[in-house]
Amino acid sequence: MVLVKTEKELKAHLSSLNAHKGLGLVPTMGALHKGHASLITKAVSENDTVIVSIFVNPTQFDNEEDLIKYPKTFNADLKLLERISDKIIVFAPSIKAIYGNQVKSRSYDFNGLDQVMEGAFRDGHFDGVGTIVEALLTIVSPNRAYFGKKDFQQLQIIKKLVETQKLAVEIIGCPIVRETNGLALSSRNERLSKTLRSEASFIYKTLKAAKIKFGTKSASYVKEWVQKQFKEHPELRLEYIEITDVDTLQSIQRKKKNTKYRAFVAVYAKDVRLIDNIALN
Ligand code: PAF
């Protein structure tokens, strides 16, 4: 495994490699867990060389405290990557290397995909994500880039970014990885107490039950039902439940034939904000 910190070092290293099966990129903010490991393992199986970027991107945090508390485990991350493959190049740029002297996002038109759910609750979040992902895709020029479906809205927005910015890369969405109790893996889970980590399994349990109800009931019935379940569970505060068309991410009024739907939630477990989603059909 090789660690590089600047674009110049990265390019020098890449030019010495033979990449006939292609170059894969897995962008991360570090604090790597089994969810990241599954993306990276897939990328390793599909490419000659895999760049894993580790960069805690300040412009996608709408809340200074969340940025400060974001877990930073760089040495453990490197050990995990070493165990996965020697094909990996770790790209860990400084904030200055990415943003220069102005730590500011670009402003994007994502055709409404960013106006709902995470975008509605986290001001400027997706402009921040767009800015760093566009920067990484431009620096690395990968053939394929890998993102988890836990951040399904982010995945759809990145696909839109690639389309509008005409970037020659295939975006690959990978399945959500869960703890044995069903809780979706997230770097934020590290901040949960043992009790809350176990309580938070209620999120996926409720989503699975909502999926069954959606087979026979309307979206508004299912949303109200989910809200009621969380009201009876005071350790977890539901911020939103949305049921949307997977392509537009707009909330549905009435089910249509040949349309795929997904349910999305954001939930606070004390001060830790967790998100999850499930395919409904
Ligand atoms: O999903 C994440 O970890 C981040 O949003 C990403 C894609 C690495 C951009 O900072």
Side-chain angles (χ1 to χ4, degrees), residues 27-29 55 57 60 129 132-133 147 151 154:
T28 82
M29 296 206 295
F55 180 73
N57 175 35
Q60 70 186 75
V129 170
I132 183 61
V133 172
F147 298 88
D151 297 294
Q154 167 174 281

Short mmCIF file of all heavy atoms in Angstrom, two decimals, residues 27-29 55 57 60 129 132-133 147 151 154, ligand 1:
data_model
loop_
_atom_site.label_atom_id
_atom_site.label_comp_id
_atom_site.label_asym_id
_atom_site.label_seq_id
_atom_site.Cartn_x
_atom_site.Cartn_y
_atom_site.Cartn_z
N PRO A 27 -14.00 7.25 -2.64
CA PRO A 27 -13.84 8.44 -1.80
C PRO A 27 -14.36 8.17 -0.39
O PRO A 27 -15.45 7.60 -0.23
CB PRO A 27 -14.72 9.51 -2.48
CG PRO A 27 -15.06 8.95 -3.82
CD PRO A 27 -15.04 7.46 -3.66
N THR A 28 -13.60 8.55 0.63
CA THR A 28 -14.06 8.37 2.02
C THR A 28 -13.66 9.59 2.85
O THR A 28 -12.82 10.37 2.44
CB THR A 28 -13.45 7.11 2.70
OG1 THR A 28 -12.14 7.45 3.20
CG2 THR A 28 -13.36 5.92 1.78
N MET A 29 -14.27 9.64 4.03
CA MET A 29 -13.82 10.66 4.99
C MET A 29 -13.11 9.95 6.15
O MET A 29 -13.05 10.47 7.27
CB MET A 29 -15.02 11.46 5.50
CG MET A 29 -15.68 12.24 4.37
SD MET A 29 -16.55 13.72 4.89
CE MET A 29 -17.84 13.01 5.88
N PHE A 55 -10.38 12.12 3.27
CA PHE A 55 -10.41 13.58 3.38
C PHE A 55 -11.71 13.97 4.08
O PHE A 55 -12.80 13.72 3.56
CB PHE A 55 -10.36 14.19 1.97
CG PHE A 55 -10.38 15.70 1.97
CD1 PHE A 55 -9.25 16.42 2.38
CD2 PHE A 55 -11.52 16.39 1.59
CE1 PHE A 55 -9.26 17.82 2.40
CE2 PHE A 55 -11.54 17.79 1.61
CZ PHE A 55 -10.41 18.49 2.01
N ASN A 57 -14.17 16.36 4.58
CA ASN A 57 -14.47 17.53 3.75
C ASN A 57 -15.25 18.59 4.54
O ASN A 57 -16.45 18.42 4.79
CB ASN A 57 -15.29 17.06 2.54
CG ASN A 57 -15.73 18.22 1.69
OD1 ASN A 57 -15.00 19.21 1.55
ND2 ASN A 57 -16.93 18.13 1.15
N GLN A 60 -19.00 20.11 3.55
CA GLN A 60 -20.27 19.37 3.55
C GLN A 60 -20.90 19.28 4.93
O GLN A 60 -21.96 18.68 5.08
CB GLN A 60 -20.12 18.00 2.91
CG GLN A 60 -19.33 16.99 3.70
CD GLN A 60 -19.11 15.70 2.90
OE1 GLN A 60 -18.28 15.66 1.99
NE2 GLN A 60 -19.85 14.65 3.21
N VAL A 129 -20.60 18.26 -0.95
CA VAL A 129 -20.30 16.92 -1.47
C VAL A 129 -19.92 17.02 -2.95
O VAL A 129 -18.93 16.43 -3.40
CB VAL A 129 -21.51 15.96 -1.28
CG1 VAL A 129 -21.29 14.65 -2.02
CG2 VAL A 129 -21.77 15.70 0.20
N ILE A 132 -16.30 18.40 -3.46
CA ILE A 132 -15.18 17.47 -3.19
C ILE A 132 -15.18 16.31 -4.18
O ILE A 132 -14.12 15.90 -4.67
CB ILE A 132 -15.15 16.99 -1.71
CG1 ILE A 132 -13.93 16.10 -1.46
CG2 ILE A 132 -16.40 16.24 -1.32
CD1 ILE A 132 -12.62 16.75 -1.68
N VAL A 133 -16.37 15.79 -4.51
CA VAL A 133 -16.39 14.63 -5.41
C VAL A 133 -15.93 15.07 -6.81
O VAL A 133 -15.13 14.37 -7.45
CB VAL A 133 -17.78 13.95 -5.42
CG1 VAL A 133 -17.85 12.88 -6.50
CG2 VAL A 133 -18.07 13.33 -4.06
N PHE A 147 -19.70 4.18 -4.38
CA PHE A 147 -20.39 4.87 -3.29
C PHE A 147 -21.43 3.91 -2.70
O PHE A 147 -22.05 3.13 -3.43
CB PHE A 147 -21.10 6.12 -3.81
CG PHE A 147 -20.15 7.13 -4.39
CD1 PHE A 147 -19.77 7.07 -5.71
CD2 PHE A 147 -19.61 8.13 -3.58
CE1 PHE A 147 -18.86 7.99 -6.25
CE2 PHE A 147 -18.71 9.05 -4.10
CZ PHE A 147 -18.34 8.98 -5.44
N ASP A 151 -26.09 6.20 1.69
CA ASP A 151 -26.28 7.60 1.31
C ASP A 151 -26.89 7.61 -0.10
O ASP A 151 -26.26 8.06 -1.05
CB ASP A 151 -24.93 8.32 1.34
CG ASP A 151 -24.36 8.35 2.74
OD1 ASP A 151 -24.94 8.99 3.60
OD2 ASP A 151 -23.33 7.68 2.97
N GLN A 154 -27.18 10.93 -1.85
CA GLN A 154 -25.85 11.35 -2.32
C GLN A 154 -25.48 10.64 -3.61
O GLN A 154 -24.96 11.25 -4.55
CB GLN A 154 -24.83 11.05 -1.21
CG GLN A 154 -23.38 11.14 -1.67
CD GLN A 154 -22.40 10.98 -0.52
OE1 GLN A 154 -22.18 11.91 0.23
NE2 GLN A 154 -21.79 9.81 -0.38
O1 PAF B 1 -19.98 9.55 1.81
C1 PAF B 1 -18.96 10.13 2.23
O2 PAF B 1 -18.19 9.61 3.05
C2 PAF B 1 -18.67 11.54 1.75
O3 PAF B 1 -19.83 12.27 1.57
C3 PAF B 1 -17.79 11.57 0.48
C4 PAF B 1 -18.50 10.95 -0.70
C5 PAF B 1 -16.49 10.82 0.74
C6 PAF B 1 -17.45 13.01 0.12
O4 PAF B 1 -16.75 13.65 1.14
#
